[in-house]
Amino acid sequence: MRIVSIVGARPQFVKLAVVARAAAAGEIEHITIHTGQHYDHGMSDVFFEELRIAAPKHHLGVGSGSHGIQTGEMLKKLEPVLVSENPDWVVLYGDTNSTLAGAVAASKLGLKTAHVEAGLRSFNRRMPEELNRIAADHLSDLLLCPTETAMQNLRREGLEDRSVLTGDVMYDAFLADSQRAQRENESLRFSWPPKSYALATVHRAENTDEPDRLLGIMRALEQISSELCPVVLPLHPRTRKALADLDWTGQRVVTIEPLSYLQMLLLEKNARMILTDSGGVQKEAYFAQVPCITLRDETEWVETLDNNCNVLAGANETSIIEAAFRSMKAGPWSLLYGSGDAGITIVKLLIAQRNHATPYNPLACQLRIC
Ligand code: UD1
């Protein structure tokens, strides 16, 4: 059996690593196509090196552009590669423009398509990611859901027959790699002891492309730095550019280059709190049992909001500061994202459904691949 994974942006490489490892355990041929959506070494190559993922067989080199140009360019370049590889399954991850292009290209060729992290909804159609995930879910043959909430969302959209609850591949990755991060990350020598600093990430278009929102967030981070604890902000290239355009001259927030996955895990685990607009980082905060403040008006990961483990603060300066001061009251945390075997479950499903016209019941699956 041959599986082709299509990826292109940073969070997808982590999810890919989990599926690639499970495929290797099952001795299944697995090929990666990298669209080139993220191309800086620190946004792409370092993840392949660190997570020990085989280099992509095909690199499409698409790069940046408007949504239409970026997605259109991917479609044009994906089609001939998919035709030549003719896989049993095309696997898509998350909600990026690479996911959308992969879903359109593969489904139009009649290839069987599986969507990892299916069923997430923010119910905010102004987010490009929301449109990408709705399209990917409706085009895919097999919808692999991380949570019961995701299953419910797909039920509401009439997609129940194609949906399976697998658990979250990012939880698999967290369990597999956070010990390694602790052991191997000698290179990360920050001067702050554990639980003495806050970690922040900002990259969503709704924040970076709206000066009022970005300034609200940055002012809040400055104040948290001066009144509560130092804030470390690894800067996404989009955010670096937006801050330069605004002539931002904040003094206190410590901005650094984007981090590798293991570095990020280590910094997350040791943080006193995490402030983020990233979906993946919200969950990693939950896995690490670190209080999270989400710099958005809604979240797809609604379970994380229980017990104030995660608090929606939007981009309002006062709300963010208040949430930061209250963050020590978070918890307790529960086990919400499966048992760390989502990758294996997904590969078993792909094997079992290879020739099935109807969805396969994973509970009846007797295959053992590791
Ligand atoms: C994309 C995803 C988002 C995901 C995020 C993770 C979409 C619509 N969004 O957002 O879901 O959470 O990746 O980071 O697909 N750039 C560089 N170097 C790089 C990559 C990007 O300089 O290696 C710059 C480019 O100027 C580009 C901008 O960052 O215009 C934004 O990149 P883009 O691919 O449009 O989306 P992200 O904001 O990264």
Side-chain angles (χ1 to χ4, degrees):
M1 187 170 91
R2 181 184 297 165
I3 300 173
V4 163
S5 285
I6 299 176
V7 291
R10 185 169 59 174
Q12 295 176 311
F13 308 140
V14 177
K15 296 163 199 167
L16 166 73
V18 173
V19 173
R21 281 176 200 160
E27 294 179 4
I28 286 163
E29 187 184 359
H30 177 263
I31 290 165
T32 301
I33 303 177
H34 190 321
T35 63
Q37 176 170 354
H38 285 175
Y39 42 88
D40 289 346
H41 181 266
M43 298 285 287
S44 175
D45 300 355
V46 70
F47 289 82
F48 282 81
E49 291 157 14
E50 201 177 66
L51 291 162
R52 298 166 188 154
I53 313 169
K57 181 172 174 189
H58 304 277
H59 200 299
L60 308 183
V62 168
S64 305
S66 67
H67 287 279
I69 289 175
Q70 191 178 53
T71 312
E73 201 58 27
M74 288 176 193
L75 263 176
K76 199 167 81 183
K77 294 187 168 179
L78 276 169
E79 192 174 65
V81 176
L82 289 174
V83 169
S84 72
E85 291 294 351
N86 191 24
D88 297 289
W89 280 103
V90 175
V91 183
L92 310 165
Y93 302 82
D95 57 16
T96 72
N97 288 342
S98 301
T99 317
L100 173 66
V104 175
S107 59
K108 287 222 169 189
L109 289 169
L111 295 169
K112 283 169 82 90
T113 310
H115 184 202
V116 174
E117 214 175 69
L120 297 193
R121 297 291 181 267
S122 65
F123 304 101
N124 174 2
R125 288 205 176 213
R126 292 191 314 275
M127 280 178 79
E129 291 85 355
E130 181 78 350
L131 303 177
N132 291 344
R133 42 174 104 97
I134 291 171
D137 283 343
H138 284 259
L139 288 173
S140 297
D141 301 287
L142 180 59
L143 304 178
L144 304 157
C145 296
T147 61
E148 183 51 46
T149 312
M151 291 287 286
Q152 278 168 24
N153 290 337
L154 294 178
R155 241 173 254 139
R156 236 180 275 125
E157 294 176 27
L159 298 175
E160 187 175 4
D161 289 353
R162 292 184 248 163
S163 310
V164 182
L165 180 62
T166 59
D168 191 338
V169 287
M170 285 194 66
Y171 186 50
D172 293 25
F174 178 86
L175 292 180
D177 293 318
S178 54
Q179 296 298 332
R180 190 155 74 89
Q182 203 79 39
R183 280 197 310 273
E184 289 183 15
N185 248 302
E186 292 296 313
S187 62
L188 195 68
R189 295 193 198 280
F190 288 111
S191 48
W192 309 287
K195 305 299 170 192
S196 70
Y197 64 90
L199 174 66
T201 76
V202 184
H203 81 274
R204 291 257 168 235
E206 71 205 53
N207 288 331
T208 58
D209 298 0
E210 299 281 340
D212 287 349
R213 289 183 68 95
L214 187 56
L215 288 173
I217 291 170
M218 294 306 296
R219 288 191 191 113
L221 298 183
E222 282 285 306
Q223 196 156 338
I224 293 166
S225 281
S226 76
E227 291 182 17
L228 209 54
C229 60
V231 176
V232 189
L233 175 65
L235 270 185
H236 186 287
R238 175 202 282 283
T239 318
R240 182 177 292 284
K241 182 171 179 311
L243 290 174
D245 290 348
L246 290 172
D247 293 325
W248 171 255
T249 53
Q251 298 295 317
R252 296 196 179 87
V253 174
V254 183
T255 58
I256 56 176
E257 289 300 308
L259 295 172
S260 73
Y261 178 61
L262 294 185
Q263 289 174 330
M264 189 69 183
L265 280 186
L266 198 57
L267 219 54
E268 285 170 346
K269 283 182 77 162
N270 289 329
R272 170 174 168 172
M273 77 184 84
I274 293 176
L275 303 104
T276 186
D277 63 4
S278 153
V281 177
Q282 283 175 62
K283 271 185 304 169
E284 283 162 355
Y286 195 91
F287 303 153
Q289 305 199 350
V290 172
C292 185
I293 296 163
T294 293
L295 308 169
R296 289 175 50 196
D297 302 323
E298 69 279 308
T299 179
E300 300 79 22
W301 303 102
V302 288
E303 314 79 9
T304 59
L305 300 175
D306 291 350
N307 304 328
N308 291 323
C309 297
N310 184 12
V311 173
L312 288 176
N316 178 279
E317 183 181 347
T318 313
S319 315
I320 298 168
I321 294 165
E322 281 174 10
F325 274 94
R326 283 198 312 268
S327 64
M328 284 305 118
K329 294 189 180 137
W333 285 259
S334 313
L335 282 174
L336 298 175
Y337 294 101
S339 7
D341 59 358
I344 295 289
T345 305
I346 286 168
V347 170
K348 282 180 178 177
L349 282 162
L350 297 178
I351 296 169
Q353 286 203 27
R354 179 182 175 187
N355 298 316
H356 279 232
T358 51
Y360 187 80
N361 175 2
L363 298 176
C365 182
Q366 297 303 315
L367 283 164
R368 290 196 62 80
I369 60 169
C370 73

